[in-house]
Amino acid sequence: MAARRASMWPVVMLLRSGAARRGPNAQARRRIGSKVFTEMHERGLVGDVFPQASIEFRHLLESRAQTLYCGFDPTADSLHLGHLVPVMALLNWQRSGHHVIALVGDATARIGDPSGRTTCRDAVPCDVTKERASALRAGLERLFRNHVLFLWDGGLEKLGSMTMLNNSEWYDDLAVVDFLSGAGRRFRMGTLLGRHSVQRRLHSADGLSLSEFTYQAFQAYDFLQLYERYGCVIQLGGSDQLGNIMNGHDLISRMHDDHVYGITMPLITNVTGDKLGKTAGNAVWLNRDRTSPFDLYQYLLRLPDNDVERYLRLLTFLPLAEINSIMNGHRKQPEIRNAQRRLAREVTLLVHGKEGLESAKRCTSTLYEGNLEALNAMSDQELREVFQGAPFYEFLLEPGTSILDACHRINAVPEGRRGFELIVAGAVSINHERQNNPSQLLIRGRHVLQNGVLQC
Ligand SMILES: Nc1ncnc2c1ncn2[C@@H]1O[C@H](COP(=O)(O)OP(=O)(O)OP(=O)(O)O)[C@@H](O)[C@H]1O
Ligand SMILES: N[C@@H](Cc1ccc(O)cc1)C(=O)O
């Protein structure tokens, strides 16, 4: 018995040290295919690799499962379309068997990343940041859940693991003096001052606060913590994050004899070239209470032809060969917007699930195709989302209510003879059907649909 136990011991030790250094669970030892990096590149999900996409780096990614992370600061209570780029990167790495960590920066959000900003962020009370962090977390969880439910059919065992963390986990109990006398000693002021985001702000009218200046050290420290706790060796981020990622690389390299890397992705922009996001004030949100599935779907349906292929590669899991064939068809008949329709379908499904996609299609059909059946099936929430800005009236339908009565109640026509004449002249349509008889009584199922709607 004793001999058997002794011979088992080293095996247990090996598994534990392997898991701690290279991934959150035992799947870390799985081998990964050799095409992963190339495909990520072709999709546009790899911009720059720091320090470089060396042979060692490719070997690291292709030989076995690694752990990669990306951070999201809860500076709002919802993710936006721009965030979908790093989320798609995380999901693609996960699909190829790597382990991913989505880090919610509930601590760093309070400091405020100066990257890409011309002015200082307003201070936000701690409880607001906490609420935003849990909303952001729920948003990230929804994306990962929808991915598994609707867009992944490879079997759960083939997916790498996904871990969600808050960075307050290591900051809440860290004293500022310990931080500065520990990790703080490893940073070099010349390097920190030289970062683009710092330089831009130093020379701006608003200047740069001490807290914003130190932001890069905190993001670097996150990378160090994730390296030490989860064996995370790669940080992902938009191209605006390169400086912060380089600091993390430098910090880990100074403290450990190991190689870590950063991968940045290109930023998606709107037609005027501004980064899609909060700061530019042009965000298309992923939470339904801010941007409805219908509005998200329509935004993508209206995407210019020049952008659609890039978005299909970045924001969908469609195989590249299928995207090529969609684009070949699209070039022949751009007016039917088949490529945009496919993009809208895939993205809405990921963001809002099957129910959200059906809702977006139902609303589109009601509004743009005058489809009565779709209008009939719309919920209260959908009606408010689609007819945003249009006046809504709620009233009890009493028997004997005529078209003229209803029009008066909602101020659709003036009182008296003029209102009567306007209806006779064909000025009023109910549920897409023109009405010429003001005395006609409202009939359930014809003028008032099953869901109680009368669209006038
Ligand atoms: N339009 C975009 N395209 C690609 N990546 C983006 C885009 N917007 C944000 N990201 C990336 O998402 C990650 C999280 O970004 P972050 O939480 O700072 O959001 P943000 O909208 O950039 O915030 P803010 O506008 O407040 O600076 C970062 O890696 C960032 O580069
Ligand atoms: N600084 C990133 C978010 C982030 C936060 C913490 C990190 O460890 C990494 C990234 C941004 O503003 O986009």
Side-chain angles (χ1 to χ4, degrees):
M1 262 320 259
R4 270 189 69 200
R5 224 182 270 145
S7 71
M8 281 169 72
W9 185 239
V11 178
V12 176
M13 288 293 286
L14 244 176
L15 282 174
R16 281 189 55 210
S17 59
R21 257 192 50 70
R22 287 284 179 240
N25 62 32
Q27 289 182 10
R29 320 206 110 246
R30 183 197 304 148
R31 280 188 68 80
I32 301 290
S34 62
K35 289 196 304 225
V36 181
F37 184 72
T38 313
E39 182 172 337
M40 294 289 282
H41 210 278
E42 282 173 11
R43 285 197 170 273
L45 287 168
V46 173
D48 286 316
V49 176
F50 182 82
Q52 59 189 352
S54 55
I55 293 173
E56 290 80 14
F57 168 76
R58 291 184 72 124
H59 181 71
L60 184 79
L61 276 175
E62 291 167 0
S63 58
R64 64 184 196 176
Q66 302 297 336
T67 302
L68 304 93
Y69 101 95
C70 182
F72 303 85
D73 275 349
T75 45
D77 59 6
S78 168
L79 294 166
H80 57 70
L81 196 60
H83 287 139
L84 216 47
V85 176
V87 169
M88 287 298 290
L90 288 174
L91 285 168
N92 272 285
W93 288 113
Q94 191 194 16
R95 284 162 81 96
S96 61
H98 292 286
H99 307 298
V100 298
I101 297 174
L103 180 71
V104 176
D106 55 347
T108 38
R110 296 181 58 205
I111 300 165
D113 189 350
S115 312
R117 290 193 56 105
T118 49
T119 55
C120 194
R121 291 172 197 263
D122 292 335
V124 176
C126 191
D127 53 333
V128 174
T129 301
K130 267 201 183 121
E131 273 170 31
R132 289 177 174 174
S134 62
L136 213 65
R137 213 181 148 99
L140 285 162
E141 275 163 0
R142 180 161 46 88
L143 291 171
F144 280 85
R145 192 171 52 243
N146 285 345
H147 166 247
V148 170
L149 286 176
F150 307 117
L151 292 155
W152 172 251
D153 54 12
L156 281 184
E157 66 292 346
K158 294 221 175 97
L159 273 184
S161 66
M162 137 61 172
T163 308
M164 182 93 74
L165 298 168
N166 286 347
N167 57 10
S168 56
E169 194 176 313
W170 41 90
Y171 290 118
D172 274 358
D173 295 325
L174 180 63
V176 64
V177 176
D178 290 339
F179 178 73
L180 289 177
S181 61
R185 288 177 182 277
R186 314 279 178 162
F187 293 101
R188 288 289 154 270
M189 283 303 292
T191 316
L192 299 185
L193 280 166
R195 295 286 179 229
H196 178 66
S197 57
V198 170
Q199 281 301 315
R200 252 187 73 182
R201 282 290 299 285
L202 277 178
H203 299 108
S204 72
D206 209 32
L208 181 71
S209 67
L210 173 65
S211 51
E212 284 183 301
F213 174 67
T214 60
Y215 185 96
Q216 42 181 331
F218 284 93
Q219 185 163 333
Y221 189 75
D222 285 346
F223 196 179
L224 175 69
Q225 289 303 307
L226 293 173
Y227 171 83
E228 289 178 349
R229 294 169 187 228
Y230 296 89
C232 172
V233 285
I234 298 172
Q235 182 178 172
L236 306 175
S239 56
D240 55 343
Q241 294 297 308
L242 184 61
N244 293 344
I245 295 175
M246 286 156 99
N247 289 325
H249 165 273
D250 293 353
L251 179 64
I252 298 170
S253 307
R254 287 205 181 97
M255 298 181 70
H256 296 273
D257 180 22
D258 203 355
H259 299 287
V260 296
Y261 299 88
I263 302 178
T264 62
M265 289 145 274
L267 300 175
I268 53 172
T269 54
N270 65 8
V271 277
T272 55
D274 294 317
K275 170 188 162 190
L276 270 190
K278 286 161 282 186
T279 300
N282 55 7
V284 176
W285 301 97
L286 304 190
N287 273 13
R288 186 172 188 153
D289 56 358
R290 282 179 170 257
T291 300
S292 68
F294 166 70
D295 283 329
L296 173 68
Y297 189 87
Q298 286 297 324
Y299 176 87
L300 296 165
L301 218 53
R302 287 195 297 266
L303 205 70
D305 285 341
N306 285 348
D307 289 331
V308 70
E309 180 169 8
R310 193 160 71 92
Y311 274 56
L312 278 168
R313 286 168 188 262
L314 282 173
L315 303 184
T316 78
F317 300 105
L318 297 173
L320 293 171
E322 193 176 340
I323 295 178
N324 285 342
S325 118
I326 292 173
M327 288 313 298
N328 285 338
H330 180 74
R331 279 180 209 107
K332 286 181 200 137
Q333 278 186 296
E335 67 286 358
I336 60 170
R337 307 187 86 69
N338 194 37
Q340 281 90 344
R341 209 170 297 279
R342 198 61 202 276
L343 173 73
R345 181 198 178 277
E346 299 294 312
V347 174
T348 311
L349 186 61
L350 176 67
V351 175
H352 293 295
K354 224 178 196 141
E355 164 53 30
L357 175 61
E358 272 157 20
S359 165
K361 284 186 176 165
R362 204 165 26 245
C363 298
T364 301
S365 188
T366 301
L367 209 63
Y368 296 111
E369 293 151 26
N371 183 337
L372 210 57
E373 216 174 293
L375 179 63
N376 216 342
M378 280 170 73
S379 66
D380 275 8
Q381 183 180 21
E382 288 169 353
L383 288 165
R384 289 189 188 279
E385 287 169 354
V386 170
F387 299 110
Q388 261 174 40
F392 263 80
Y393 299 91
E394 261 182 71
F395 61 85
L396 207 64
L397 182 64
E398 283 154 12
T401 306
S402 69
I403 289 180
L404 183 64
D405 296 336
C407 287
H408 281 154
R409 290 190 69 168
I410 62 172
N411 296 324
V413 296
E415 292 285 342
R417 184 104 212 118
R418 179 89 188 108
F420 190 92
E421 284 168 0
L422 277 171
I423 298 177
V424 173
V428 170
S429 290
I430 293 181
N431 299 336
H432 308 305
E433 194 189 329
R434 199 173 296 279
Q435 307 294 331
N436 300 99
N437 180 3
S439 315
Q440 165 73 52
L441 298 187
L442 292 183
I443 302 172
R444 226 176 226 290
R446 180 171 161 207
H447 303 107
V448 183
L449 302 178
Q450 271 160 21
N451 49 5
V453 169
L454 178 159
Q455 190 204 346
C456 188

